[in-house]
Amino acid sequence: ILPNLALRKLSITAIVAVIGGLFVKDVLGFAYVQAVITIAFTSTQLVLPREKKEFSYAASAAGPFVLSVIPWIESTACQSIAAKMGGHLIYDVAIPVVIMVSYCASWHHYSGKKMKEKAF
C-alpha cells in the first residue's frame, strides 16, 4: 500500500503516532488510530509526482477522508447518534461502499473519456 515510503519516514511516523496515542483518552482511541492511518495514506499520495495524479488519484484519496469522519462520530456521539443508526456497523458498511463508489467514479470517468476519444 505504501511502496514509496522510506523506512526512515515510516519509523518517524510510527514513533510520533505512538507518542501521540499516549495523550488520547481511551474512548477516542479508535478514532485516533483511524486518523493516523488516514494521514499516513494521504501523505504518501500527496507527494506523488504530478503526472501520477489523475482522476483515480483524487477518487481514491477522497475515500479515506470520508471514512475518517465516521470514527469521530462513533466516539463522540455514540449514544445520541451512532447507536441509533447501527453503531459500528455504519463504519463496517461504509468501507466497501466508499471503495465501490471510488472505483465506479473512476471507471465512469475513464470510460467516458474513451467514448469521447472514439468520437473524434
Side-chain angles (χ1 to χ4, degrees):
I1 292 177
L2 306 172
N4 297 325
L5 188 61
L7 184 58
R8 181 177 175 179
K9 288 181 183 178
L10 179 63
S11 301
I12 291 170
T13 303
I15 290 169
V16 170
V18 169
I19 292 172
L22 297 174
F23 301 99
V24 174
K25 292 181 180 180
D26 289 343
V27 71
L28 299 174
F30 176 68
Y32 176 75
V33 169
Q34 290 306 111
V36 168
I37 291 171
T38 300
I39 291 168
F41 173 76
T42 357
S43 65
T44 60
Q45 298 301 302
L46 288 172
V47 297
L48 284 174
R50 186 178 192 100
E51 50 281 347
K52 289 191 176 186
K53 294 179 181 178
E54 298 177 350
F55 182 84
S56 59
Y57 160 83
S60 65
F65 177 74
V66 172
L67 288 176
S68 68
V69 173
I70 296 171
W72 290 102
I73 293 171
E74 280 186 39
S75 62
T76 58
C78 184
Q79 297 301 321
S80 60
I81 297 173
K84 294 175 185 173
M85 297 174 63
H88 189 73
L89 182 64
I90 299 167
Y91 183 73
D92 292 338
V93 170
I95 294 170
V97 168
V98 166
I99 291 170
M100 286 188 297
V101 167
S102 171
Y103 175 80
C104 289
S106 295
W107 179 80
H108 179 71
H109 174 78
Y110 290 112
S111 64
K113 223 177 188 182
K114 286 181 183 178
M115 295 297 262
K116 287 179 183 177
E117 287 174 3
K118 287 181 181 180
F120 290 107

